[in-house]
Amino acid sequence: NAAATGQGTGNTSDTGSTAITIGYDGTNPFNGDLAELIVYNRALTAPDRKWLEAILSNKYNIALAP
């Protein structure tokens, strides 16, 4: 039973059920919009993340930091 991990300003957590909480730090819920949510059944490797960041950067026309 693997725990979910978060990246960026939001958090994810494994609640022990099928529900996953996104962007909740225990006090403050996420208050914003998500353009897309991608769920994997494993942690991504560094090359996987770079590939995904490039795909999403191109899709949403957002420049990546060097």
Side-chain angles (χ1 to χ4, degrees):
N1 199 13
T5 58
Q7 176 66 25
T9 59
N11 298 313
T12 61
S13 63
D14 183 353
T15 61
S17 69
T18 57
I20 296 177
T21 303
I22 300 170
Y24 183 68
D25 64 6
T27 305
N28 303 302
F30 175 74
N31 185 14
D33 297 323
L34 292 174
E36 187 166 342
L37 176 65
I38 303 172
V39 179
Y40 290 92
N41 64 355
R42 63 180 175 82
L44 296 181
T45 64
D48 289 340
R49 286 187 49 168
K50 289 285 188 189
W51 172 82
L52 183 58
E53 289 171 358
I55 295 294
L56 294 175
S57 170
N58 186 49
K59 181 176 182 177
Y60 293 105
N61 197 28
I62 298 171
L64 293 175

